[in-house]
Amino acid sequence: MLTCRICGASVREFVDFGRQPLSDAFRKPDDTSEEYFFRLAVGACESCAMVQLVEEVPRDRMFHADYPYHSSGSALMREHFGRTAQEFLETELSGDDPFIVEIGCNDGVMLSAVHEAGVRHLGVEPSAGVGEVARSKGVRVLTEFFEDSTARAVRDEHGPADVIFSANTICHIPYLESIFLGVDALLKPDGVFVFEDPYWGDIVERRSFDQIYDEHFYFFTATSVRAAARRYGFDLVDVRRLGVHGGEVRYSIARPEARVPTAAVAELLAEEEARGLVTRETLDGFAAGVAGIRDDLVALLKDLKDRGGRVVAYGATAKSATVTNYCGIGPDLVSKICDSTPAKQGRLAPGSHIPVVPSGEFAEPYPDYALLFAWNHAEEIIAKEPAFRDGGGRWILYVPEVHVVE
Ligand code: SAM
Ligand code: TMP
């Protein structure tokens, strides 16, 4: 029986993507070592409603010195995290000698603004390469995985935190009990633990199945986050929907005696109940929708190829590993993936082995069609490449359904 990583109750599996590689393991072309594969499938806990992967990948395989994702690669995300820092500086961090800890600070996209404001901070970031980039911006970084023992060591050295923040990281961490124990040890009695991650409600609505890959272990809802928080002695005191990364929610967690939940919490909980986000009908419908997207996408790419269309992809996202490997899309259907991240360029995408090239090569020459893997950055990318469209090129999107943008 599959059991819930949080509460131990039974988990019902509802979608299986088969054997998948590590989504960020871009390979050197001359690398002949065996690729690591695992079974990517998702289930929902029948007790606490937590949506979760059924198989866990060891963390050191995913987060290490060569972890290639750089948060600052997107102008939209730089703006988003600049605003986030500003908001903290004006509210939770406006008191006497405040202290903020960020779990998974990556290249310092958020903490660099906190550093510039002269506020005490610490990023806890296990991936040494991106952590070094943060350090070069003046951000203080501890190269460790955040967990109970790390949190205690941080408290002993720096004192308790007013804010513990985390973006696109808590959903990556199967060992949530250790995270909450650490938060309990490190957070001031009236402090707040704020984290934002892809929202299961948006994934269901957009059928964005490519949010499912090795690193995304949990798919949160307000309902499941509140149940987890309460299990570890906290409460969910605020929620905010965010438009970034295809739809996220920012959750604020605090000790029950310290803060009163806002009306937004009750509203989102009621909405989730009404939508039935984890009912059998919703979950099985999601799985059927995903299979339909796979069939339509493969049919479209084969048809374009048969008619002599040149198709490339844009954005070597972690998400794209699920799309290519689940759909069986290789270099025969998509000749290359254009991407602005130096650490991904000159490499082969995991599993599919589609070559990743610098985004400048998109125009050499422009293809007839471009499959937009980085659909969450669509506005920014499409605006950057006006000549592609003007010359008759067309973007292909696959969520919530496969379509060519006219
Ligand atoms: N916060 C950034 C953002 O929103 O763009 C980075 C998100 S990135 C998808 C996830 C980050 O979490 C990686 O930099 C990874 O190294 C880090 N990470 C994974 N497990 C962690 C843990 N236990 N403690 C701290 N950071 C962790
Ligand atoms: P993400 O969806 O996980 O944020 O990854 C986005 C990927 O797309 C990342 O590899 C960087 C790439 N990218 C570009 O190549 N050009 C761009 O303009 C943007 C915003 C992202």
Side-chain angles (χ1 to χ4, degrees):
M1 183 181 82
L2 293 171
T3 53
C4 176
R5 195 68 166 73
I6 308 265
C7 74
S10 72
V11 161
R12 189 179 81 90
E13 182 179 317
F14 60 90
V15 65
D16 182 358
F17 297 96
R19 275 164 48 81
Q20 292 278 336
L22 303 177
S23 59
D24 269 318
F26 292 86
R27 285 163 76 82
K28 289 188 180 144
D30 59 355
D31 184 353
T32 53
S33 64
E34 204 177 316
E35 233 170 333
Y36 177 92
F37 283 90
F38 73 108
R39 188 169 83 88
L40 181 68
V42 193
C45 175
E46 301 197 294
S47 176
C48 74
M50 186 66 85
V51 179
Q52 56 199 281
L53 296 191
V54 304
E55 196 175 316
E56 181 178 335
V57 172
R59 63 186 189 179
D60 312 87
R61 283 193 176 271
M62 300 183 282
F63 310 116
H64 44 65
D66 296 326
Y67 180 68
Y69 182 72
H70 287 240
S71 307
S72 299
S74 148
L76 180 80
M77 296 314 295
R78 290 198 298 275
E79 267 166 43
H80 170 77
F81 287 122
R83 272 198 308 275
T84 304
Q86 209 46 49
E87 200 176 319
F88 280 134
L89 290 168
E90 287 166 11
T91 56
E92 306 287 342
L93 300 177
S94 61
D96 190 25
D97 190 27
F99 179 43
I100 177 170
V101 172
E102 183 176 1
I103 305 174
C105 70
N106 198 271
D107 62 5
V109 67
M110 200 285 287
L111 282 183
S112 52
V114 174
H115 159 70
E116 279 159 25
V119 167
R120 278 201 308 133
H121 63 274
L122 182 70
V124 182
E125 173 52 69
S127 299
V130 289
E132 208 41 58
V133 178
R135 277 196 196 100
S136 72
K137 298 175 184 168
V139 173
R140 195 162 180 171
V141 182
L142 177 67
T143 308
E144 295 282 354
F145 284 95
F146 185 93
E147 57 191 346
D148 188 18
S149 57
T150 326
R152 285 169 199 280
V154 170
R155 183 205 53 199
D156 291 349
E157 192 180 339
H158 302 269
D162 298 84
V163 178
I164 299 177
F165 176 70
S166 193
N168 307 300
T169 300
I170 298 303
C171 74
H172 294 52
I173 305 180
Y175 40 101
L176 270 195
E177 179 171 13
S178 183
I179 297 300
F180 273 98
L181 287 172
V183 168
D184 196 26
L186 179 57
L187 197 64
K188 280 186 183 168
D190 59 348
V192 65
F193 172 32
V194 180
F195 61 91
E196 59 193 54
D197 282 295
Y199 179 50
W200 179 246
D202 287 315
I203 296 174
V204 167
E205 190 178 324
R206 297 175 188 209
R207 294 199 284 195
S208 45
F209 66 98
D210 53 351
Q211 292 280 15
I212 300 167
Y213 52 91
D214 55 347
E215 294 170 21
H216 286 176
F217 189 84
Y218 292 117
F219 303 91
F220 295 134
T221 58
T223 309
S224 61
V225 166
R226 186 175 70 157
R230 288 185 167 178
R231 190 173 176 84
Y232 303 119
F234 288 89
D235 202 3
L236 177 62
V237 296
D238 195 25
V239 287
R240 191 193 300 178
R241 304 279 295 259
L242 304 171
V244 294
H245 285 313
E248 302 206 322
V249 169
R250 181 178 288 174
Y251 305 94
S252 297
I253 308 282
R255 294 188 174 85
E257 61 281 9
R259 301 189 188 210
V260 177
T262 61
V265 174
E267 280 164 24
L268 190 56
L269 290 169
E271 186 185 316
E272 289 177 358
E273 177 75 29
R275 288 181 62 192
L277 285 184
V278 292
T279 60
R280 246 167 216 258
E281 196 186 353
T282 301
L283 300 179
D284 293 346
F286 175 78
V290 167
I293 291 177
R294 175 193 57 196
D295 296 347
D296 292 349
L297 183 57
V298 172
L300 173 66
L301 294 176
K302 284 190 171 152
D303 181 50
L304 293 176
K305 184 184 170 189
D306 289 347
R307 290 194 284 124
R310 289 165 305 131
V311 185
V312 309
Y314 206 112
T317 56
K319 294 185 284 292
S320 67
T322 300
V323 182
T324 54
N325 291 287
Y326 171 61
C327 301
I329 298 170
D332 55 325
L333 293 178
V334 170
S335 60
K336 60 187 181 187
I337 310 177
C338 308
D339 193 285
S340 59
T341 315
K344 298 181 181 179
Q345 296 162 357
R347 305 233 173 178
L348 303 178
S352 69
H353 296 180
I354 301 172
V356 181
V357 302
S359 25
E361 291 185 25
F362 184 49
E364 297 173 6
Y366 281 122
D368 301 308
Y369 295 90
L371 179 58
L372 187 54
F373 284 138
W375 52 263
N376 46 316
H377 301 290
E379 215 178 305
E380 187 174 340
I381 291 174
I382 291 174
K384 252 183 210 171
E385 303 286 358
F388 168 58
R389 244 190 100 84
D390 294 348
R394 290 290 174 261
W395 293 99
I396 301 173
L397 292 170
Y398 50 89
V399 291
E401 62 201 1
V402 177
H403 59 287
V404 177
V405 181
E406 285 308 329

Coordinates of all heavy atoms in Angstrom, one line a residue, residues 63 67 69 71 81 102-104 106 124-127 130 144-146 167-169 172-173 175, ligand 1:
F63 N 20.0 18.3 -6.2 CA 20.5 19.6 -5.7 C 22.0 19.4 -5.3 O 22.3 18.9 -4.3 CB 19.7 20.1 -4.6 CG 18.2 20.0 -4.9 CD1 17.4 19.2 -4.2 CD2 17.7 20.8 -5.9 CE1 16.0 19.1 -4.5 CE2 16.3 20.7 -6.2 CZ 15.5 19.9 -5.5
Y67 N 23.7 22.2 -10.1 CA 22.3 22.5 -10.3 C 22.1 23.7 -11.2 O 22.6 24.8 -10.9 CB 21.6 22.8 -8.9 CG 20.1 23.0 -9.0 CD1 19.2 22.0 -9.4 CD2 19.6 24.3 -8.7 CE1 17.9 22.3 -9.5 CE2 18.3 24.5 -8.8 CZ 17.4 23.5 -9.1 OH 16.0 23.8 -9.2
Y69 N 19.5 25.6 -12.5 CA 18.5 26.6 -12.6 C 18.9 27.9 -11.9 O 19.2 27.9 -10.7 CB 17.2 26.0 -11.9 CG 16.0 27.0 -12.0 CD1 15.4 27.3 -13.3 CD2 15.6 27.7 -10.9 CE1 14.4 28.2 -13.4 CE2 14.6 28.6 -11.0 CZ 14.0 28.9 -12.2 OH 13.0 29.8 -12.3
S71 N 17.5 31.4 -10.8 CA 16.2 32.1 -10.7 C 16.2 33.5 -11.4 O 15.1 34.0 -11.8 CB 15.9 32.4 -9.2 OG 16.0 31.2 -8.5
F81 N 10.4 39.0 -7.2 CA 11.1 38.8 -5.9 C 11.6 40.1 -5.4 O 11.8 40.3 -4.2 CB 12.2 37.8 -6.1 CG 11.7 36.4 -6.2 CD1 12.0 35.6 -7.3 CD2 10.9 35.9 -5.1 CE1 11.5 34.3 -7.3 CE2 10.4 34.6 -5.2 CZ 10.7 33.8 -6.3
E102 N 16.1 32.6 4.2 CA 15.4 32.1 3.1 C 15.9 30.7 2.8 O 17.1 30.4 2.7 CB 15.7 32.9 1.8 CG 14.9 32.4 0.6 CD 14.9 33.1 -0.7 OE1 15.6 34.2 -0.7 OE2 14.3 32.7 -1.6
I103 N 14.9 29.8 2.7 CA 15.2 28.4 2.3 C 15.2 28.2 0.8 O 14.2 28.5 0.2 CB 14.1 27.4 2.9 CG1 13.9 27.6 4.4 CG2 14.4 26.0 2.6 CD1 12.8 26.9 5.1
G104 N 16.4 27.9 0.3 CA 16.5 27.8 -1.2 C 16.6 29.1 -1.9 O 15.8 29.5 -2.8
N106 N 18.8 30.2 -3.9 CA 19.3 30.1 -5.3 C 20.3 31.2 -5.5 O 21.3 31.4 -4.7 CB 18.1 30.1 -6.3 CG 18.5 29.6 -7.6 OD1 19.0 30.3 -8.5 ND2 18.4 28.3 -7.9
V124 N 19.8 29.7 3.0 CA 20.2 28.3 3.2 C 20.0 27.6 1.8 O 18.9 27.5 1.3 CB 19.4 27.6 4.3 CG1 20.0 26.2 4.5 CG2 19.6 28.4 5.6
E125 N 21.1 27.3 1.2 CA 21.1 26.8 -0.2 C 22.1 25.7 -0.5 O 23.3 25.9 -0.4 CB 21.3 28.0 -1.2 CG 21.5 27.7 -2.6 CD 20.3 26.9 -3.2 OE1 19.2 27.4 -3.3 OE2 20.5 25.7 -3.5
P126 N 21.6 24.5 -0.7 CA 22.5 23.3 -0.8 C 23.3 23.3 -2.1 O 24.4 22.7 -2.2 CB 21.6 22.1 -0.7 CG 20.3 22.6 -1.1 CD 20.2 24.0 -0.7
S127 N 22.7 23.9 -3.2 CA 23.4 23.9 -4.5 C 24.5 24.9 -4.5 O 24.2 26.1 -4.7 CB 22.4 24.1 -5.6 OG 21.4 23.0 -5.5
V130 N 24.9 27.9 -7.6 CA 24.0 29.0 -7.5 C 24.2 29.8 -6.3 O 24.1 31.1 -6.3 CB 22.5 28.6 -7.7 CG1 22.2 28.1 -9.1 CG2 22.0 27.6 -6.7
E144 N 24.0 24.4 2.8 CA 23.4 23.2 3.5 C 22.0 23.0 3.0 O 21.3 23.9 2.5 CB 23.3 23.4 5.0 CG 24.7 23.6 5.7 CD 25.4 22.3 5.9 OE1 24.8 21.2 5.6 OE2 26.5 22.3 6.4
F145 N 21.5 21.8 3.2 CA 20.0 21.6 3.1 C 19.4 22.1 4.4 O 19.9 21.9 5.5 CB 19.7 20.1 3.0 CG 20.0 19.5 1.6 CD1 21.2 18.9 1.4 CD2 19.1 19.6 0.6 CE1 21.5 18.4 0.1 CE2 19.4 19.1 -0.7 CZ 20.6 18.5 -0.9
F146 N 18.3 22.8 4.2 CA 17.5 23.3 5.4 C 16.8 22.0 6.0 O 16.2 21.3 5.2 CB 16.5 24.3 5.1 CG 15.8 24.9 6.3 CD1 16.3 26.1 6.9 CD2 14.7 24.3 6.8 CE1 15.7 26.6 8.0 CE2 14.0 24.8 7.9 CZ 14.5 26.0 8.5
A167 N 10.6 30.1 -1.7 CA 9.8 30.1 -2.9 C 10.2 28.9 -3.8 O 11.4 28.7 -4.0 CB 10.1 31.4 -3.7
N168 N 9.3 28.2 -4.3 CA 9.5 27.1 -5.2 C 10.5 26.1 -4.6 O 11.4 25.6 -5.3 CB 10.0 27.7 -6.6 CG 9.0 28.7 -7.1 OD1 7.8 28.3 -7.3 ND2 9.4 29.9 -7.2
T169 N 10.5 25.9 -3.3 CA 11.4 25.0 -2.7 C 10.7 24.1 -1.7 O 11.0 22.9 -1.7 CB 12.5 25.8 -2.0 OG1 13.2 26.6 -2.9 CG2 13.5 24.9 -1.2
H172 N 9.6 21.0 -3.0 CA 10.6 20.1 -3.4 C 11.1 19.1 -2.2 O 12.0 18.3 -2.5 CB 11.9 20.9 -3.8 CG 11.7 21.7 -5.0 ND1 10.7 22.6 -5.2 CD2 12.5 21.8 -6.1 CE1 10.9 23.2 -6.4 NE2 11.9 22.8 -7.0
I173 N 10.6 19.3 -1.0 CA 11.1 18.7 0.1 C 10.2 17.7 0.7 O 9.2 18.0 1.5 CB 11.5 19.8 1.2 CG1 12.4 20.8 0.5 CG2 12.1 19.1 2.4 CD1 12.9 22.0 1.5
Y175 N 10.7 15.7 3.2 CA 10.8 15.6 4.7 C 10.2 16.8 5.4 O 10.9 17.5 6.1 CB 12.2 15.3 5.1 CG 13.3 16.1 4.3 CD1 13.9 17.2 4.8 CD2 13.7 15.7 3.0 CE1 14.8 18.0 4.1 CE2 14.6 16.4 2.3 CZ 15.1 17.5 2.8 OH 16.1 18.3 2.1
Ligands
SAM1 N1 13.8 30.3 -4.5 C1 14.2 30.3 -5.9 C2 13.1 30.6 -6.9 O1 11.9 30.7 -6.4 O2 13.4 30.8 -8.0 C3 14.8 28.9 -6.3 C4 13.9 27.8 -6.6 S1 14.7 26.3 -7.2 C5 13.4 25.7 -8.2 C6 14.7 25.3 -5.8 C7 15.9 25.6 -4.9 O3 15.7 24.9 -3.7 C8 17.2 25.1 -5.5 O4 18.1 26.2 -5.5 C9 17.7 24.0 -4.5 O5 19.0 23.8 -4.4 C10 17.0 24.4 -3.2 N2 16.7 23.3 -2.2 C11 16.3 22.1 -2.4 N3 16.2 21.4 -1.2 C12 16.5 22.3 -0.2 C13 16.5 22.3 1.2 N4 16.2 21.2 1.9 N5 16.9 23.4 1.8 C14 17.2 24.5 1.2 N6 17.2 24.6 -0.2 C15 16.8 23.6 -0.9

